[in-house]
Amino acid sequence: MVARISRACLALLTVALATAVIFAQPQFSDAVRAYIKVQGPVVALTNVRVIDGTGAPARPNQTVVIREGNVQAVGDAASVAVPPGATTLDLSGRSVMPGLVMVHEHLYYPVGPGVYGQLGESFIRLYLAGGVTTMRTGGNVNGFMDLKLKALIDTGQKAGPAIDATAPYLNGPNTFSQMREIKGIDDARRQVAYWADEGATSFKAYMNIRREDLRAAIEEAHKRNLKVTGHLCSVTYAEAADLGIDNLEHGFLASTDFVTDKKPDACPGQGRGQQTIAALDENGEPFKALVKKLVERRVTLTSTLTVFETFTPGRPVPPGLDVLLPQLRDQFLQAHARTAGNQQSVYLKLFPKALALERAFVRAGGMLIAGTDPTGGGGVVPGYANQRQLELLVEAGFTPLEAIAIGTSNGAKYLGRDARIGTIAAGKQADLLVINGDPSATIGDVRNVEIVFKQGVGFDPAKLIESVKGKAGLW
Ligand SMILES: [Zn+2]
């Protein structure tokens, strides 16, 4: 009897799931339709190399069948038939990999001294063009923009990735004109509760938060099954791990754990922390003890090497600058030239150390996810930077397959969405990138995205980019 009931329930559940899947694709607005390259109830990708996002080796000569937004079948040509009537793309020489799932994204950008422009309209198109099909925004200074754009994308009115929308930053006393100050534990709870009620699904603590306020914010978020990350300074990584934080941003570069005279609840300056990190031995006991704690407490770490690369002398000009408003592009190029000449920069030591520490964290069992952080001094251009981030993970010593897994399935796991996204397999959502070349061998090939499938609908990266070229900076 029990078995029969549960089987009946299972059948109902299956019907419900199938229905949900069929209606998952929204009605697109005319504006969105203009960016669509491939659409059909059934799409077959043939003769393609499949990089599934799990870290497994690439498989050549595969057929991928997409039906109603999902991967219906994936396998070699002998085992998977192309359904009659399918829109078929012969992808010889191409690879498919999962859409990127990146977690330190923003819909704002530095446009002047301490001022951040709200560039959500152009950034959502650039993220999608670069292959990002799901992203978490990591702190916002736009108020409702992240939430509203998420809703407009979900309902097909705008083109962009699925967004795990973050609330405005949780910070203590600070001098940012676009950030409030939490005034105690009740206030911390109130801020979390308010934004959670408004639909925010993640929270980010910032550099001057006090431990008690962070504790209260984490408790309030966890009550609602929401996660909290932090770009910290006043609170050490070890303290935050003990408070139950889920995630820490910027690898180890925001850690003040090794500043010997650090006062509780006070940020000694990000620079002071970074001096200690630059001098840290990744094989030494102090670092290993911190890693052990983070791994034990299941604190996930976010790599944002792209933003730190822009601070480091001798690094190449980052990709994508020509989509920026010319004034912003020139501003960044001048900064880049100044950086190149700064032989006193801590980043000469710090940047290679950042790579080494992230690799050591993963080798010790830590969970690494990836993002780009289009803030800093500019030059981190959405979409382009997400591809660059994968290249930098390979520079850090990960294999291309590991880097791809960090940028896809690891992000999906962190967001709790890995049953649907982050890997390519039958039954999963058809979020996948068609890439000219083989990024499992040459990671730089991730720059050659030709089609971005999101829920089975193929978007044209070139058209998305063209629509914002020279304007990212205005909107
Ligand atoms: Zn950030």
Side-chain angles (χ1 to χ4, degrees):
M1 188 63 187
V2 171
R4 277 172 71 175
I5 287 170
S6 60
R7 211 169 291 159
C9 286
L10 203 67
L12 272 177
L13 194 69
T14 311
V15 170
L17 280 174
T19 312
V21 162
I22 288 167
F23 293 109
Q25 284 166 289
Q27 290 295 317
F28 292 114
S29 67
D30 290 346
V32 173
R33 269 198 287 270
Y35 305 121
I36 294 176
K37 201 174 189 176
V38 183
Q39 193 174 14
V42 185
V43 178
L45 314 178
T46 61
N47 299 312
V48 71
R49 183 184 299 102
V50 172
I51 301 161
D52 70 7
T54 64
R59 299 191 304 273
N61 299 316
Q62 302 284 293
T63 298
V64 181
V65 177
I66 300 169
R67 184 185 290 272
E68 301 289 356
N70 290 299
V71 173
Q72 184 186 39
V74 54
D76 52 42
S79 67
V80 175
V82 174
T87 303
T88 302
L89 307 180
D90 181 342
L91 296 179
S92 307
R94 270 78 173 177
S95 304
V96 290
M97 59 175 266
L100 300 174
V101 183
M102 290 221 177
V103 294
H104 192 130
E105 311 316 319
H106 291 296
L107 300 178
Y108 68 86
Y109 183 90
V111 293
V115 184
Y116 297 94
Q118 314 311 329
L119 306 189
E121 291 286 345
S122 58
F123 278 16
I124 52 175
R125 290 181 223 169
L126 290 170
Y127 275 119
L128 187 65
V132 180
T133 48
T134 300
M135 68 187 206
R136 178 186 70 183
T137 49
N140 99 46
V141 296
N142 334 298
F144 289 97
M145 187 188 247
D146 291 35
L147 290 167
K148 198 62 193 284
L149 285 175
K150 171 199 167 54
L152 291 169
I153 291 166
D154 285 349
T155 54
Q157 294 171 74
K158 288 186 187 292
I163 298 178
D164 181 55
T166 190
Y169 289 88
L170 301 162
N171 201 3
N174 71 84
T175 54
F176 287 98
S177 61
Q178 290 162 286
M179 222 181 264
R180 81 181 287 269
E181 171 189 339
I182 290 174
K183 297 180 187 68
I185 56 174
D186 291 341
D187 192 31
R189 289 183 194 283
R190 194 175 61 89
Q191 187 172 333
V192 170
Y194 174 81
W195 285 100
D197 287 347
E198 287 292 334
T201 41
S202 81
F203 290 88
K204 182 165 164 194
Y206 208 56
M207 294 171 63
N208 301 295
I209 195 164
R210 290 163 290 229
R211 288 167 299 175
E212 286 311 301
D213 298 343
L214 179 57
R215 182 199 302 277
I218 291 169
E219 279 174 8
E220 189 66 32
H222 284 182
K223 257 200 298 199
R224 297 160 183 263
N225 285 321
L226 301 176
K227 288 181 173 176
V228 179
T229 191
H231 168 173
L232 301 178
C233 181
S234 50
V235 180
T236 67
Y237 280 24
E239 288 168 342
D242 286 337
L243 294 173
I245 203 163
D246 302 286
N247 184 196
L248 293 163
E249 300 302 304
H250 305 305
F252 289 94
L253 267 53
S255 160
T256 49
D257 296 66
F258 307 101
V259 176
T260 47
D261 60 349
K262 185 186 175 306
K263 308 269 187 302
D265 291 329
C267 170
Q270 197 90 87
R272 289 282 318 281
Q274 292 187 342
Q275 291 288 352
T276 65
I277 299 299
L280 201 58
D281 174 7
E282 60 269 28
N283 299 308
E285 279 315 310
F287 178 68
K288 282 178 153 172
L290 175 59
V291 168
K292 185 161 179 282
K293 181 185 277 277
L294 298 179
V295 172
E296 277 171 7
R297 304 264 165 167
R298 300 171 152 270
V299 180
T300 300
L301 198 69
T302 305
S303 170
T304 64
L305 296 170
T306 39
V307 68
F308 298 118
E309 183 179 36
T310 63
F311 302 144
T312 306
R315 303 292 303 186
V317 172
L321 297 183
D322 57 343
V323 304
L324 296 175
L325 188 70
Q327 201 176 341
L328 287 181
R329 184 194 56 211
D330 295 347
Q331 203 168 289
F332 174 75
L333 285 172
Q334 284 161 20
H336 188 264
R338 276 196 305 276
T339 299
N342 180 7
Q343 289 312 309
Q344 305 307 311
S345 171
V346 68
Y347 280 93
L348 286 169
K349 269 194 167 167
L350 187 59
F351 187 68
K353 184 62 74 175
L355 275 59
L357 296 178
E358 289 179 9
R359 195 180 50 208
F361 174 73
V362 173
R363 296 287 182 257
M367 167 79 154
L368 191 68
I369 54 182
T372 61
D373 195 7
T375 64
V380 179
V381 181
Y384 295 92
N386 300 84
Q387 297 162 1
R388 181 67 184 151
Q389 173 65 24
L390 295 185
E391 294 177 340
L392 292 173
L393 287 169
V394 171
E395 189 175 328
F398 297 104
T399 67
L401 287 166
E402 287 171 331
I404 289 168
I406 290 167
T408 58
S409 55
N410 281 14
K413 277 179 206 151
Y414 178 79
L415 295 177
R417 300 202 56 211
D418 50 313
R420 294 290 297 139
I421 61 168
T423 52
I424 298 178
K428 300 228 171 160
Q429 189 165 303
D431 287 0
L432 37 94
L433 314 180
V434 174
I435 288 171
N436 196 346
D438 180 6
S440 71
T442 306
I443 194 65
D445 284 353
V446 292
R447 296 188 184 209
N448 310 325
V449 180
E450 294 183 337
I451 311 172
V452 178
F453 280 98
K454 185 187 165 206
Q455 288 185 278
V457 176
F459 288 88
D460 185 338
K463 282 190 181 159
L464 288 161
I465 290 167
E466 192 55 39
S467 74
V468 306
K469 205 160 205 170
K471 303 195 189 88
L474 287 173
W475 35 263

